Amino acid sequence: QVQLVESGGGLVQPGGSLRLSCAASGFIFSSNPMGWYRRPPGKGLELVASITTGGDGTYYRDSEKGRFTISRANANNTIYLQMNDMKLEDTGVYYCNKFGGDGPFSAWGKGTQVTVSS
């Protein structure tokens, strides 16, 4: 079964950094583009960043570009999100999942809470 386990969230001050991890299993990880999604408080789910199967291509929302870096380690079935110079608007629950034409897996993980506060 598809399993997605996010970790690394926490409380951080504006300007600080966090590194999120997502351990994936139950599917051919290296054959799927992956993404980090975020649900801000009281809002809907949004795509924060995505990465191609080999890790050579990435996408970021304009507000995150230059501050966030998505990466993957196919040998370990893991993706990461390095978040630097964090802002209050980065607050939310972060999820990882497949990204692409087939859409994300229905088996979402529990996510990891990221709170940016002064």
Side-chain angles (χ1 to χ4, degrees), residues 4-46:
L4 302 163
V5 182
E6 302 91 350
S7 62
L11 176 65
V12 65
Q13 293 184 325
S17 298
L18 285 174
R19 181 175 171 86
L20 308 183
S21 298
C22 170
S25 62
F27 64 100
I28 305 175
F29 180 81
S30 61
S31 296
N32 287 275
M34 297 292 293
W36 281 99
Y37 302 79
R38 176 177 65 206
R39 187 182 298 279
K43 299 181 180 180
L45 199 65
E46 60 191 11

Side-chain angles (χ1 to χ4, degrees), residues 1-114:
Q1 299 292 323
V2 171
Q3 293 188 62
L4 302 163
V5 182
E6 302 91 350
S7 62
L11 176 65
V12 65
Q13 293 184 325
S17 298
L18 285 174
R19 181 175 171 86
L20 308 183
S21 298
C22 170
S25 62
F27 64 100
I28 305 175
F29 180 81
S30 61
S31 296
N32 287 275
M34 297 292 293
W36 281 99
Y37 302 79
R38 176 177 65 206
R39 187 182 298 279
K43 299 181 180 180
L45 199 65
E46 60 191 11
L47 179 69
V48 176
S50 63
I51 188 167
T52 56
T53 56
D56 57 322
T58 57
Y59 160 84
Y60 306 92
R61 284 162 38 99
D62 287 343
S63 57
E64 281 76 47
K65 193 168 186 177
R67 301 187 299 115
F68 288 14
T69 302
I70 186 172
S71 61
R72 67 191 298 159
N74 285 345
N76 297 325
N77 284 13
T78 305
I79 64 169
Y80 305 93
L81 186 67
Q82 178 67 47
M83 303 183 291
N84 298 325
D85 190 23
M86 298 188 70
K87 303 177 179 180
L88 298 179
E89 306 94 283
D90 297 329
T91 294
V93 181
Y94 285 69
Y95 304 86
C96 63
N97 210 321
K98 177 171 66 74
F99 175 82
D102 292 337
F105 295 117
S106 60
W108 292 85
K110 296 179 180 179
T112 185
Q113 175 71 49
V114 172

